[in-house]
Amino acid sequence: MIDKPIIAANWKMNLTKSDSGKLINNLNNFYDGGVELIIVPSFTLLDFAKSILSNDIALGAQNCYYKNEGSYTGEISPTQLIDIGCKYVIIGHSERRHIFGETNDLLKKKLLSAKNAGLIPIYCIGETIKEKRAGKTQEVLLKQIDILSKDIMPLVVAYEPIWAIGTGRIADIETIEQANSFIRDRLSDMEMTDVPIIYGGSVKPESTYKIASSNLIDGALVGGASLNAGQFIKIIDIFKEVKIC
Ligand code: PGA
């Protein structure tokens, strides 16, 4: 199992080859192995990133299909991701759920197929602002967790309240801790222990100290701030300082 804080950089649909090269060089120079660092670029940058990333920084993809090959124009398979050197794949990011209509049923197939190919899924769950205001957070999380099973482990779960993603409005620590303990309890009812639960949604250096200090939060999935070497390195440094002592 992963026994270090997990920090994943979700680059989303950003960066050219030359910009990503500069960012990776900065990370290579700084990285000392203190955290499980995962770089998650666009598909077009995976091969290039793998060729220049230091060996102990892991590569992840932002999505995959559940079939391993065939006539699925525009899709990428889990075995293709393994072939190119990925260790992780994000499954169920809220942008996939809400912009591209991915359902829990589809995500269940993706999770199994990713796991069977040898990838570690980073499975994203979280509620919308409307669901939060209606007091439905746990109900939504439950439906999203219920598609998991022991045979998908090893697995990382990312709690990402949708209203906190890309908004600059980070969830307060009580909200994150409440959600993470709910997720942990439900997973343990399903005999899934040792699943790291990380947080994502507007993580910035200024907000990292609180997140890193919580025993209920095992790392961060960082979007916007991971595109800036200075900010991202600060986030990693704070996790190292707080969690590894
Ligand atoms: P953000 O994105 O840090 O820009 O809010 C996080 C994510 O979508 O994973």
Side-chain angles (χ1 to χ4, degrees):
M1 208 44 242
I2 311 148
D3 52 3
K4 300 175 190 174
I6 297 165
I7 316 274
N10 178 9
W11 288 354
K12 308 194 180 186
M13 198 176 71
N14 293 299
L15 300 183
T16 58
K17 196 170 170 182
S18 93
D19 289 340
S20 67
K22 286 180 208 145
L23 188 46
I24 288 175
N25 281 337
N26 273 317
L27 297 174
N28 283 343
N29 290 337
F30 149 87
Y31 183 66
D32 66 359
V35 301
E36 172 77 349
L37 184 57
I38 310 164
I39 304 303
V40 191
S42 301
F43 288 129
T44 52
L45 295 171
L46 285 173
D47 197 27
F48 171 64
K50 184 67 192 173
S51 72
I52 58 167
L53 262 180
S54 128
N55 276 342
D56 43 4
I57 300 181
L59 187 67
Q62 297 175 15
N63 180 29
C64 67
Y65 195 49
Y66 66 87
K67 298 279 189 180
N68 276 326
E69 58 186 16
S71 305
Y72 304 101
T73 303
E75 291 296 325
I76 307 274
S77 78
T79 47
Q80 288 175 316
L81 295 180
I82 285 284
D83 184 48
I84 214 160
C86 287
K87 179 174 175 190
Y88 294 89
V89 61
I90 296 179
I91 303 278
H93 191 280
S94 64
E95 286 149 17
R96 300 296 320 169
R97 291 178 188 267
H98 291 273
I99 304 173
F100 301 101
E102 297 196 358
T103 60
N104 282 331
D105 283 348
L106 173 68
L107 297 173
K108 185 174 182 174
K109 292 182 190 158
K110 290 189 177 199
L111 284 164
L112 257 179
S113 150
K115 152 73 207 220
N116 289 339
L119 293 162
I120 301 177
I122 301 174
Y123 178 54
C124 298
I125 59 177
E127 78 287 1
T128 62
I129 191 67
K130 205 166 154 203
E131 290 159 345
K132 178 181 163 63
R133 287 191 181 133
K136 290 189 171 162
T137 299
Q138 294 194 347
E139 190 186 311
V140 171
L141 291 179
L142 207 55
K143 284 198 188 121
Q144 294 170 333
I145 297 166
D146 275 352
I147 67 166
L148 296 173
S149 55
K150 266 202 306 193
D151 43 350
I152 297 168
M153 288 171 72
L155 162 85
V156 176
V157 170
Y159 171 58
E160 296 207 306
I162 295 159
W163 45 271
I165 296 177
T167 57
R169 185 181 156 205
I170 190 165
D172 59 67
I173 198 76
E174 293 75 23
T175 304
I176 307 172
E177 288 191 328
Q178 223 174 27
N180 280 23
S181 2
F182 177 77
I183 297 163
R184 203 173 295 282
D185 288 351
R186 182 65 195 129
L187 289 176
S188 97
D189 291 346
M190 296 161 81
E191 294 174 53
M192 297 172 73
T193 50
D194 290 335
V195 175
I197 305 174
I198 64 177
Y199 168 80
S202 293
V203 175
K204 301 275 180 289
E206 309 82 76
S207 48
T208 303
Y209 194 82
K210 267 197 174 169
I211 299 169
S213 303
S214 169
N215 288 333
L216 294 169
I217 305 172
D218 300 313
L221 180 51
V222 187
S226 73
L227 298 171
N228 177 300
Q231 286 199 14
F232 191 50
I233 286 171
K234 266 190 211 146
I235 291 172
I236 300 169
D237 263 341
I238 297 170
F239 262 96
K240 271 177 21 196
E241 183 195 320
V242 177
K243 295 260 193 223
I244 313 162
C245 43

